[in-house]
Amino acid sequence: MLAPKKRCYVVMGFGKKTDFATGRTLDLDKSYRNMIKPAVEAAGLSCVRADEIVHSGLIDVAMYQQLLEADVVVADLSTANKNAFYELGVRHALRPFTTVVICEDGVKNPPFDVNHIPIRSYHHLGDEIAFDEVMRFRAELTKAIGDIWEKAPEERRDSPVYRFLDKLKPPVLSGVTLGADEARPAPDTSNAATQRALMEQVDKAKKESNFVKAKALLSSIREMAREREQDKPEDPYIIQQLALVTYKSKQPTPQTALREARALLLALNPVTSNDTETLGLWGTVHKRLWDETHERTHLDEAVRGYERGFYLRNDHYNGINLAYMLNVRAANAVSHADAVADFIEAQRVRREVLAICEEELADGSLSDESRYWVIATMAEAYLGIGDEVQAEKRFKEAASMGSESWMMESLRGQMTKLRSLLADSPLKYVITA
């Protein structure tokens, strides 16, 4: 379709990013690997993202050069990523055409400056993208790139800068002609290929519950990234994943692993962070440290982490864990009034969680694993508000889904612990008129 030497630079966030307008966390690497890169390559272009560019010195030099020289730029504005918006603006200022803007369809009202340019949308489920949607959007993006080259230059002007300032001439680097790919070497992506291969090994190790191996691999990836990006902050996604596999490794001891994970998360400023992935991990690490030590500070930090994550993201995971930790704190309260307050708040949170779960089930686009966790959450939530009939119904529904044994063991264990907490309800001692 196109000359094989044409190049596409992809502007977007990396890893899991939270869209603060909706509270949803999206795995943008899934968007890139499953849809964008295959679509670009199907159109006959080479495809590169900033994290795939091997460079020395400042990444900014390579980034600006790509924005100027790339034959096509695909800009994904999902999660309203600030860097993506900035880079799109730079591209529009440098090149009058061959820029394709895309975005996950959760962004209903894009900012004014971009709401009058074509934005192709796709539907993201958060942790994954449905296969049918992957295939649909791949075809749409491939066609959009192909269409660019079928139009006359004056008809493919997609930059609002050059559309409204129609006398403006695009800049060129001294001695470089835009589009003359033979005059510049293709980017070396060997280091990036190594990192991608290592991340695939991490995913495999996690699925096999080999968290010691996953930790070693992620530590190597982190060091590679540090060497490559010495002038930039670390990628939160790598730190989050490293913290996750660190505490799950339970090595050399469960408590030591938890404290190491906690130290990793401190780099992401969890006390003030609005990243719900960080807050969920912060809550879980302190929840487990409470189980190990029964130190009150860990109990309070677990509640704070889950609470902040829940009210930012409005999700069932942070919500059901917040409710459980409120019951734990109620059972360990110094005063009866504090115990009653936390116990009642836990019930309120569970009712909100049930409403969230019902909405997710009604959407009908959940994967089997995601659906299992929604049903399991509902079983625990119903138990927490005293509806044993619905709790048992949802428990049996979860059990019938053919999930892995550890998933049902996790649900069964959580419900057993919750029943123990509910047995001595502080409301029993409330005197009513």
Side-chain angles (χ1 to χ4, degrees), residues 249-262:
S249 74
K250 300 182 180 180
Q251 296 295 325
T253 67
Q255 188 176 145
T256 301
L258 286 164
R259 293 190 184 281
E260 185 180 347
R262 181 183 185 277

Side-chain angles (χ1 to χ4, degrees), residues 409-420:
E409 288 171 9
S410 174
L411 174 58
R412 188 178 292 107
Q414 184 70 4
M415 292 180 74
T416 298
K417 289 188 288 186
L418 180 57
R419 279 194 174 92
S420 177

Side-chain angles (χ1 to χ4, degrees), residues 349-361 378:
V349 169
R350 287 190 179 98
R351 290 189 177 92
E352 290 183 54
V353 167
L354 284 168
I356 292 167
C357 290
E358 291 289 0
E359 287 183 12
E360 292 190 38
L361 290 178
M378 295 180 77

Side-chain angles (χ1 to χ4, degrees), residues 394-425:
R394 292 298 186 177
F395 181 86
K396 289 180 178 178
E397 185 179 351
S400 69
M401 296 178 69
S403 303
E404 296 180 40
S405 58
W406 71 266
M407 295 165 73
M408 280 306 298
E409 288 171 9
S410 174
L411 174 58
R412 188 178 292 107
Q414 184 70 4
M415 292 180 74
T416 298
K417 289 188 288 186
L418 180 57
R419 279 194 174 92
S420 177
L421 290 170
L422 297 173
D424 192 26
S425 167

